[in-house]
Amino acid sequence: MRLVEPVAPAAPAAEAQEGMGDAGAAFAPEERGPGDGRFGGARARDRRSSAAAGPAERGAGLAELPDAQLVVLGARGDVGALEQLYRRHAAFAIHLATRIEGSARDVEDIAHDAFLRAFERLDDLVDPAAFRAWLGSIIVHKVRSRMRRARLLGVLGMGKSSEPVDLDALASPAASPHARAQIAQIYALLQTLPADDRIAWILRAVEGHDLETVAQMTDCSLATVKRRISRAQQFLDGHFVDSTSNEVSS
């Protein structure tokens, strides 16, 4: 079973696609844009210089400029460029936070905080064209911190151990009741996992990122991210119940 359609050039998440019924096609779609999946390169500094050159700064409308040029302008204090980056990637940021959280609660605040941090640190971005993926890594960090804090408060009896799954935010409007039930079950199981395992699995199996990108977004080695995804997949394989399979076998 495929949880998401593969996003070129990312390889399909084959190890996380079996035994989950038809929930994958029922996830709400998210439009992807340029800049996904890579943070930098050997010639990144040269790209920054070339992006700053030429008449594109004012010759074309800001909406027509690629992320690389907007990042350069934003780092110089151009408020219009920052606004354009926000408009272009806000839906992506909110969507990513919702997928990881399993709920739309507070995700707008998470996204806003992530943008503020990104705008404050634009000079730290090695490859200006990779703004989207870099923003995604900041979202991941903030959601992970929130998950850990919520789990600690739950253990201490000072808060809820987990948020209820928000199916309206996660599922496509066309999803069948059966598919919605499968998504709810998957997220209920994921909420019992450590935050790092849960995030790595969602980025790979739900968001469809390749392993290298997941490692970059979660700031860990490739070997570590493989272990996290494997642990999560083994847990889901052992606990997920596909009612369709049960009906067929009976």
Side-chain angles (χ1 to χ4, degrees):
M1 172 271 169
R2 187 186 302 281
L3 282 180
V4 293
E5 290 302 315
V7 179
E15 71 279 10
Q17 295 168 358
E18 298 179 357
M20 296 298 174
D22 59 351
F27 276 105
E30 186 267 320
E31 182 178 354
R32 295 176 184 269
D36 287 337
R38 289 293 181 267
F39 287 89
R43 295 189 298 273
R45 296 296 181 185
D46 293 337
R47 286 187 203 169
R48 178 175 296 233
S49 298
S50 62
E57 295 179 1
R58 294 291 175 242
L62 289 174
E64 303 299 322
L65 296 181
D67 284 356
Q69 289 176 294
L70 291 175
V71 167
V72 172
L73 293 173
R76 295 175 180 174
D78 190 316
V79 176
L82 297 179
E83 180 181 357
Q84 184 58 41
L85 284 170
Y86 179 83
R87 289 177 179 275
R88 187 174 295 177
H89 300 294
F92 157 77
I94 292 173
H95 173 91
L96 179 61
T98 302
R99 283 278 180 89
I100 298 174
E101 279 272 9
S103 169
R105 180 179 178 180
D106 298 331
V107 294
E108 290 191 9
D109 290 340
I110 292 171
H112 292 162
D113 288 347
F115 271 105
L116 285 174
R117 181 165 179 79
F119 290 162
E120 290 170 353
R121 299 181 56 191
L122 282 179
D123 285 332
D124 295 341
L125 180 55
V126 176
D127 181 2
F131 176 82
R132 187 182 181 92
W134 184 60
L135 175 68
S137 71
I138 298 175
I139 291 285
V140 167
H141 175 77
K142 289 190 172 295
V143 175
R144 178 172 53 200
S145 297
R146 187 175 184 274
M147 282 180 175
R148 289 174 172 172
R149 182 169 62 251
R151 174 166 286 196
L152 175 60
L153 291 176
V155 170
L156 296 175
M158 300 170 62
K160 296 180 180 179
S161 58
S162 63
E163 296 288 348
V165 175
D166 186 350
L167 284 175
D168 290 335
L170 294 170
S172 165
S176 67
H178 175 67
R180 288 170 66 90
Q182 288 182 321
I183 293 174
Q185 182 186 172
I186 291 170
Y187 269 85
L189 291 171
L190 289 172
Q191 285 179 341
T192 69
L193 294 175
D196 287 333
D197 293 1
R198 171 179 171 179
I199 290 171
W201 189 89
I202 290 174
L203 291 175
R204 176 64 169 149
V206 178
E207 291 296 290
H209 292 296
D210 58 52
L211 292 171
E212 290 78 7
T213 301
V214 177
Q216 291 173 326
M217 293 181 74
T218 55
D219 193 25
C220 66
S221 69
L222 188 60
T224 297
V225 85
K226 286 180 178 179
R227 286 196 297 271
R228 290 174 179 175
I229 293 171
S230 178
R231 283 197 300 264
Q233 188 62 47
Q234 288 177 10
F235 178 80
L236 291 173
D237 288 343
H239 293 82
F240 181 82
V241 178
D242 188 347
S243 59
T244 302
S245 298
N246 291 340
E247 291 172 1
V248 171
S249 62
S250 61

